[in-house]
């Protein structure tokens, strides 16, 4: 049975799929979104909801993050999505970390950022009490939403306000030009965008394998309200050797050399610190990074201990743990993968763990490219 014809059918209702749905409806197109789960359950709801601009890799990733941040700010109030926090406090615990931030401030990507020396930074950090503090960078650009609620609210708004047709609990078996074969019948569409997240086996596995896409497992925690409000999301020295906007700077080499001596276990497990605060005061804390085609589903208490060790070094205390969970996302050497496996079909995967931060802008690029193909004739 053939469903109503759409201009664009999108496979995957995570943030990447929803971003493409938004870009498509803004272009005046009729959109269907198909997802095998009954609700959002993957990386899009298991991470921080942190729309990170500061520290993104230079060039296209940074530009996409800047644009995506602006789109979040535009649509959040329309969709009933609360902006839980704004900004970033990048705490420099070591002189080598401060040198990285000083180098970063000399780049174009430091727009909207201030770098404060230790005494002024400590006053601005409030209840955050690092054991060691050389200074801190404060950005007012970044945003944070509660991903567990923001993703379903975004989908509901796209359906109610923009008429996007969602097909939840429907598995996609095959895609070809003009049609999507599903467990509930065939969906016809002028163009198809496949946003599979970390499903590397169902659709176009050869293309994903050629691109070297694997999966990254991360560990996350939620801690109890510490009794004070954070000035913004908080990161630390470990993030300066992981986020490419900092790590690519020559000054980062000295910091990485020191961290290899002082925190080899953290680096070996891909641990760096991000702390974001929810409306109820609780803290979302992470994370770690382990790579495999099929990561095991088990959380390691030793890895959690490394995350909490860094938390204690920055905050001076560790509130009780309320929740623990793992997540996975697609990972490769580049920021994202966009391929054309067949005519009027696009395969789109954010491979850098930055879906919330960059997907809206990436989707505008993909929809803009598809607009050069004759779409919308069936609308």
């Amino acid at each position: 049975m053939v469903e109503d014809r759409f201009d664009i059918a999108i496979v995957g209702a995570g943030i990447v799929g929803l971003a493409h749905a938004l870009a498509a409806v803004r272009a005046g197109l009729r959109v269907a979104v198909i997802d095998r789960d009954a609700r959002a359950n993957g990386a899009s709801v298991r991470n921080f909801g942190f729309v990170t601009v500061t520290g993104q890799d230079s060039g296209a990733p940074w530009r996409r993050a800047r644009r995506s941040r602006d789109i979040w700010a535009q649509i959040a109030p329309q969709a009933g999505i609360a902006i839980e926090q704004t900004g970033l406090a990048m705490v420099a615990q070591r002189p080598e970390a401060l040198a990285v931030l000083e180098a970063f401030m000399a780049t174009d990507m430091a727009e909207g950022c201030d770098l404060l020396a230790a005494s002024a930074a400590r006053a601005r950090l409030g209840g955050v009490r690092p054991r060691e503090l050389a200074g801190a960078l404060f950005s007012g650009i970044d945003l944070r939403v509660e991903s567990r609620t923001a993703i379903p609210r975004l989908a509901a708004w796209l359906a109610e306000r923009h008429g996007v047709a969602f097909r939840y609990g429907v598995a996609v078996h095959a895609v070809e030009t003009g049609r999507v074969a599903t467990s509930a019948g065939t969906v016809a569409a002028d163009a198809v965008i496949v946003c599979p997240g970390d499903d590397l086996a169902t659709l176009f596995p050869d293309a994903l394998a050629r691109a070297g896409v694997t999966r990254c497992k991360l560990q996350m925690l939620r801690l109890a309200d510490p009794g004070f409000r954070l000035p913004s999301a908080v990161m630390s020295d470990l993030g300066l050797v992981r986020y490419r906007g900092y790590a690519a700077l020559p000054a980062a080499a000295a910091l990485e050399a020191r961290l290899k001596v002082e925190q080899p276990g953290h680096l070996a497990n891909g641990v760096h610190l991000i702390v974001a605060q929810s409306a109820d005061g609780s803290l979302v804390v992470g994370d770690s990074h382990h790579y495999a085609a099929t990561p095991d589903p088990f959380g390691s208490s030793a890895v959690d201990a490394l995350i909490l060790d860094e938390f204690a070094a920055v905050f001076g205390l560790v509130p009780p743990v309320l929740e623990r969970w793992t997540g996975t996302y697609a990972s490769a050497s580049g920021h994202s993968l966009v391929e054309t496996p067949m005519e009027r079909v696009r395969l789109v995967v954010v491979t850098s763990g930055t879906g919330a931060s960059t997907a809206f802008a990436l989707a505008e690029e993909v929809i803009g490219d598809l607009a050069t193909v004759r779409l919308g004739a069936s609308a």
Side-chain angles (χ1 to χ4, degrees):
M1 178 179 177
V2 178
E3 304 282 351
D4 292 338
R5 173 172 287 276
F6 296 91
D7 299 321
I8 291 185
I10 297 167
V11 180
I15 186 58
V16 179
L18 297 182
H20 282 81
L22 176 64
V25 296
R26 284 183 160 184
L29 302 174
R30 295 180 64 228
V31 180
V33 177
I34 309 160
D35 198 281
R36 65 187 177 188
D37 286 319
R39 58 185 175 86
N41 191 50
S44 297
V45 298
R46 298 191 192 192
N47 218 307
F48 299 93
F50 187 30
V51 183
T52 313
V53 178
T54 310
Q56 294 288 355
D57 201 358
S58 61
W62 185 86
R63 291 194 300 272
R64 288 170 180 158
R66 194 70 171 84
R67 172 61 182 160
S68 295
R69 178 263 179 215
D70 290 344
I71 295 173
W72 273 111
Q74 292 165 7
I75 68 169
Q78 301 173 38
I81 298 171
I83 302 296
E84 302 289 348
Q85 289 179 283
T86 59
L88 167 68
M90 174 58 81
V91 175
Q93 300 153 281
R94 299 166 175 84
E96 292 89 346
L98 183 61
V100 175
L101 294 180
E102 289 171 342
F104 178 78
M105 289 298 295
T107 71
D108 293 340
M109 296 181 293
E111 176 189 355
C113 298
D114 297 312
L115 181 60
L116 301 183
S119 58
R122 195 173 293 279
R124 189 160 170 180
L125 287 169
V128 181
R129 304 292 177 85
R131 293 174 190 161
E132 303 293 335
L133 182 63
L137 179 144
F138 295 88
S139 165
I141 295 174
D142 315 78
L143 299 178
R144 194 252 167 177
V145 298
E146 190 70 59
S147 57
R148 298 185 190 192
T149 56
I151 298 304
R153 285 178 182 170
L154 175 57
W157 176 70
L158 286 168
E160 295 162 7
R161 176 66 179 82
H162 295 286
V164 174
F166 282 88
R167 306 284 192 260
Y168 285 112
V170 175
V172 174
H173 303 313
V175 168
E176 60 186 56
T177 300
R179 65 189 295 273
V180 180
T182 84
S183 57
T186 299
V187 175
D190 292 346
V192 181
I193 302 174
V194 178
C195 306
D198 71 336
D199 179 353
L200 310 182
T202 304
L203 299 173
F204 308 116
D206 291 345
L208 295 167
R210 284 194 302 272
V213 182
T214 187
R215 299 168 82 191
C216 177
K217 181 182 87 170
L218 51 85
Q219 291 186 203
M220 303 275 293
L221 308 99
R222 184 180 292 273
L223 306 186
D225 186 344
F228 56 84
R229 300 299 299 183
L230 302 190
S232 62
V234 176
M235 297 176 66
S236 70
D237 287 10
L238 290 167
L240 293 174
V241 297
R242 185 161 191 92
Y243 274 68
R244 288 286 301 166
Y246 312 114
L249 298 170
L255 174 61
E256 184 172 18
R258 182 168 176 181
L259 290 172
K260 285 180 178 178
V261 173
E262 297 179 355
Q263 293 184 288
H266 295 75
L267 294 182
N269 289 278
V271 170
H272 72 121
L273 185 70
I274 303 177
V275 182
Q277 194 162 37
S278 297
D280 64 0
S282 66
L283 305 176
V284 179
V285 180
D287 56 0
S288 58
H289 300 79
H290 297 91
Y291 301 89
T294 303
D296 69 66
F298 308 110
S300 163
S301 60
V303 171
D304 280 353
L306 290 170
I307 296 170
L308 293 175
D309 172 76
E310 183 68 2
F311 181 94
V314 174
F315 281 76
L317 80 167
V318 179
V321 177
L322 302 179
E323 293 179 319
R324 305 174 192 264
W325 67 94
T326 63
T328 61
Y329 63 81
S331 177
S333 58
H335 167 268
S336 53
L337 170 70
V338 179
E339 289 207 4
T340 304
M342 56 188 67
E343 185 181 1
R344 299 200 306 278
V345 175
R346 299 292 185 272
L347 172 65
V348 184
V349 186
V350 173
T351 56
S352 51
T354 62
S357 299
T358 63
F360 283 129
L362 179 62
E364 287 184 333
E365 296 171 18
V366 172
I367 296 298
D369 174 62
L370 278 170
T372 63
V373 180
R374 187 168 179 265
L375 298 179
S378 62

